[in-house]
């Protein structure tokens, strides 16, 4: 594809975007050959390419919707001053690929062209007409001899460009000749002035030579004295420079040590402050958990008089009683049991940590990631409101995520940083909690479950949370 003409060459028209190509489309090979000119498209001059696109863009809105190609319906809605510039490539492609569209748009353009359109349709190019306009109309209407009209337009454009170049060269040569004549006259005047000045300078030169001989002797004496003074000054400057360098080096060493000491002190203070804040938070959570656990235990121990005595318990565990039924063992609750999840969330000061995408891709895999996040966060907001527990949901993602809804009250939404995964962030959250606080981690990833179990957390499967959310 070749570049189009500069829009400044034709101010009243919009520039056709670079890349608009009217060469023969391979899709035309699929059309019936009857009645169609399947010979290769001619190489259009740049001005003709531009004019064809501008004419087609101007006539495009006049086509009925059912006659307009689908790719150009959006282009037809552009503003007139932007249609050729933004949609020129699509218009050019349709003109080449769709002969019926080219015929329809050409009929409208030829009707608007008046007498010139009538002349071009009959295969005649008026002598006074713009060759670019004639070539553009001939390409769209395609009468007998239209290729010759386009070729003639190219020759005319090139001849016009050559004529303009020759005119510019002649004008430049005339300007150079005028400047040369002016410079020659100025040079004559300057030469006369220089001759007079030369005579005066020669007279003064004789006087100066005599003065120079006298001055040279005094100068040699002064230079000898100056050399002795310069040697003495260089020696003193060297001593002063060495002293200054030693002083600056010592000053830099002291400043460096001071800066290191200040940085170490600031780092130590900040580290101590952060450690104290973490310890205070862990201690507060632990005390709060123990207090609520003790309160709950008090309520649970407020029971009536015992129906069995200690001896009865010994008898039940260490002896058989005649006719006593065999006791059944309690069934261990599955990690995907929502009832087990409810029991853990009922513990005082419980912290629910959710592996976000592990849950959403298991329960809402048919949704987009944005819809998965929104549905999970909304459901966790309901759990936080019902239980009053701390809820944290962790997603993978080093880049900023768009479309995230505001987090409900009591729900913390986190995204792993670049270079880390949600699994690593979950393990860091679990390790940050004080021993004794109930932490429930929801993830069907066995590696995550095993990792958090080693740090005292309760791992639950993703299905337990999905069932719990379905109940809500």
């Amino acid at each position: 594809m070749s570049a189009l003409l500069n829009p400044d060459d034709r101010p009243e028209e919009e520039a056709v975007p670079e890349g608009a190509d009217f060469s023969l489309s391979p899709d035309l090979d699929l059309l019936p050959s009857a009645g169609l000119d399947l010979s290769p498209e001619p190489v259009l001059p740049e001005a003709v390419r531009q004019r064809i696109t501008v004419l087609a863009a101007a006539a495009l809105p006049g086509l009925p919707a059912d006659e307009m190609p689908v790719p150009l319906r959006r282009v037809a809605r552009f503003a007139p001053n932007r249609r050729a510039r933004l949609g020129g490539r699509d218009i050019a492609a349709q003109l080449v690929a769709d002969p019926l569209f080219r015929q329809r748009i050409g009929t409208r353009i030829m009707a608007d062209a008046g007498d010139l359109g009538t002349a071009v349709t009959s295969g005649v190019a008026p002598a006074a007409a713009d060759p670019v306009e004639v070539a553009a109309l001939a390409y769209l209407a395609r009468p007998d001899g239209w290729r010759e009209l386009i070729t003639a337009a190219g020759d005319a454009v090139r001849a016009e460009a050559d004529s303009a170049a020759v005119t510019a060269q002649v004008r430049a040569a005339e300007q150079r000749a005028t400047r040369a004549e002016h410079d020659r006259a100025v040079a004559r005047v300057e030469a006369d002035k220089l001759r007079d000045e030369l005579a005066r300078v020669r007279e003064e030169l004789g006087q100066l030579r005599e003065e120079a001989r006298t001055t040279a002797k005094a100068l040699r004496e002064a230079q000898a004295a100056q050399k002795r003074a310069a040697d003495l000054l260089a020696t003193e400057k060297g001593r002063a420079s060495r002293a200054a360098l030693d002083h600056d080096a010592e000053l830099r060493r002291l400043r460096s040590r001071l800066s290191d000491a200040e940085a170490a002190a600031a780092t130590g203070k900040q580290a101590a402050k952060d450690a104290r804040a973490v310890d205070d938070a862990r201690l507060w959570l632990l005390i709060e958990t123990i207090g609520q656990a003790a309160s709950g235990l008090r309520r649970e121990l407020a029971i009536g008089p015992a129906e069995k005595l200690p001896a009865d318990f010994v008898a039940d565990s260490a002896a058989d009683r005649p006719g006593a039924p065999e006791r059944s063992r309690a069934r261990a609750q599955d990690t995907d049991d929502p009832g087990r999840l409810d029991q853990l969330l009922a513990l005082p000061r419980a912290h629910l940590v959710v592996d976000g995408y592990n849950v959403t891709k298991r329960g809402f895999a048919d949704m987009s990631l944005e819809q998965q996040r929104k549905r999970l966060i909304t459901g966790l907001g309901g759990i936080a409101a019902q239980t009053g527990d701390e809820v944290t949901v962790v997603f993978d993602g080093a880049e900023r995520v768009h479309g995230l809804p505001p987090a409900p009250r009591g729900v913390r939404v986190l995204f792993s940083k670049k270079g880390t995964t949600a699994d690593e962030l979950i393990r860091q959250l679990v390790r940050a909690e004080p021993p004794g606080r109930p932490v429930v981690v929801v993830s069907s990833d066995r590696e995550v479950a095993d990792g958090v179990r080693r740090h005292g957390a309760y791992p639950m499967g993703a299905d337990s949370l999905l069932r719990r959310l379905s109940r809500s």
Side-chain angles (χ1 to χ4, degrees):
M1 301 181 187
S2 59
L4 298 177
L5 290 179
N6 191 318
D8 295 338
D9 297 340
R10 191 179 290 268
E12 72 279 8
E13 300 175 352
E14 285 290 335
V16 181
E18 183 176 357
D21 193 357
F22 292 93
S23 60
L24 185 61
S25 171
D27 294 339
L28 292 180
D29 296 340
L30 302 178
L31 297 173
S33 59
L36 293 179
D37 183 6
L38 298 181
S39 59
E41 293 281 297
V43 178
L44 299 178
E46 296 299 329
V48 177
R49 291 174 184 269
Q50 180 176 349
R51 187 57 183 161
I52 291 172
T53 304
V54 170
L55 290 173
L60 189 62
L63 287 178
D66 57 345
E67 295 182 1
M68 188 180 301
V70 174
L72 297 184
R73 293 177 182 176
R74 179 178 60 87
V75 177
R77 294 195 294 269
F78 290 171
N81 60 346
R82 300 176 60 193
R83 194 177 302 131
R85 176 164 52 86
L86 300 181
R89 183 173 302 177
D90 295 334
I91 294 174
Q94 290 300 319
L95 287 174
V96 173
D98 192 343
L100 181 58
F101 166 69
R102 184 177 63 244
Q103 181 182 2
R104 289 170 176 171
I105 201 74
T107 300
R108 289 184 172 273
I109 292 173
M110 298 303 289
D112 295 338
D115 295 339
L116 180 59
T118 303
V120 172
T121 303
S122 62
V124 178
D130 182 2
V132 173
E133 189 75 14
V134 171
L137 295 176
Y139 177 85
L140 293 171
R142 303 208 172 186
D144 294 338
W146 66 278
R147 294 178 181 272
E148 288 75 9
L149 293 177
I150 293 176
T151 301
D155 295 340
V157 169
R158 286 190 292 272
E160 183 179 351
D162 294 341
S163 176
V166 171
T167 303
Q169 291 176 359
V170 171
R171 188 182 300 111
E174 292 175 350
Q175 293 175 352
R176 288 196 297 272
T178 303
R179 285 196 299 269
E181 185 64 27
H182 177 266
D183 293 342
R184 187 178 299 108
V186 172
R188 291 195 192 99
V189 175
E190 292 296 330
D192 294 338
K193 292 181 180 179
L194 289 175
R195 289 190 189 95
D196 297 339
E197 184 69 17
L198 179 59
R200 185 182 61 82
V201 169
R202 284 176 178 173
E203 182 180 354
E204 292 179 356
L205 181 59
Q207 299 174 359
L208 291 176
R209 283 175 179 172
E210 184 63 28
E211 294 177 1
R213 283 192 291 268
T214 304
T215 305
K217 182 178 179 181
L219 179 60
R220 286 192 296 269
E221 295 175 355
Q223 286 177 344
Q226 183 182 8
K227 186 176 183 305
R228 290 191 296 269
D231 293 341
L232 181 60
L233 178 61
T235 302
E236 294 301 326
K237 282 185 177 179
R239 293 176 182 174
S241 178
R242 284 193 297 272
L245 291 175
D246 295 341
H247 178 267
D248 291 343
E250 183 64 22
L251 183 60
R252 285 195 297 271
R253 285 194 295 270
L254 292 177
R255 285 179 177 172
S256 178
R257 293 176 60 185
L258 177 60
S259 177
D260 294 342
E262 290 176 349
T267 303
K269 288 181 181 179
Q270 186 62 35
K273 183 178 179 180
D274 294 343
R276 178 62 182 273
V278 173
D279 292 341
D280 289 347
R282 290 162 60 92
L283 181 59
W284 180 86
L285 284 174
L286 181 57
I287 293 175
E288 186 73 9
T289 302
I290 293 174
Q292 293 192 16
S295 299
L297 186 60
R298 260 190 231 104
R299 291 193 299 270
E300 292 179 5
L301 293 179
I303 58 178
E307 297 179 357
K308 297 177 67 177
L309 298 178
D312 295 327
F313 289 100
V314 174
D316 291 341
S317 61
D320 292 332
R321 290 187 176 184
E326 183 180 358
R327 292 172 297 181
S328 61
R329 298 177 61 186
R331 181 177 61 87
Q333 290 180 307
D334 187 21
T335 57
D336 291 330
D337 186 358
R340 172 63 172 166
L341 179 61
D342 291 338
Q343 291 179 0
L344 293 174
L345 295 180
L347 296 175
R349 300 298 300 175
H351 184 184
L352 175 62
V353 180
V354 180
D355 188 351
Y357 288 136
N358 183 272
V359 174
T360 61
K361 291 181 179 179
R362 193 177 183 90
F364 326 122
D366 55 336
M367 299 181 179
S368 66
L369 291 180
E370 178 182 350
Q371 293 174 334
Q372 293 179 19
R373 291 191 298 268
K374 182 176 181 181
R375 180 166 180 178
L376 176 61
I377 294 172
T378 302
L380 293 176
I383 293 178
Q386 293 171 5
T387 62
D389 292 333
E390 179 182 0
V391 179
T392 301
V393 58
V394 181
F395 295 100
D396 279 309
E399 299 178 356
R400 181 172 180 177
V401 177
H402 299 282
L404 190 67
R409 183 181 182 86
V411 179
R412 181 187 297 109
V413 181
L414 301 178
F415 289 87
S416 62
K417 293 183 178 179
K418 188 175 182 180
T420 62
T421 62
D423 299 349
E424 297 172 356
L425 184 55
I426 290 173
R427 285 191 285 270
Q428 293 178 14
L429 291 171
V430 173
R431 289 195 298 269
E433 297 293 344
R437 186 188 185 188
V439 180
V440 183
V441 177
V442 176
S443 176
S444 294
D445 190 330
R446 181 168 297 278
E447 183 178 353
V448 174
D450 295 340
V452 301
R453 186 184 289 110
R454 287 194 296 269
H455 292 89
Y458 299 96
M460 294 294 296
D463 289 340
S464 64
L465 179 59
L466 293 171
R467 295 175 185 172
R468 174 68 172 78
L469 292 176
S470 65
R471 293 207 315 263
S472 303

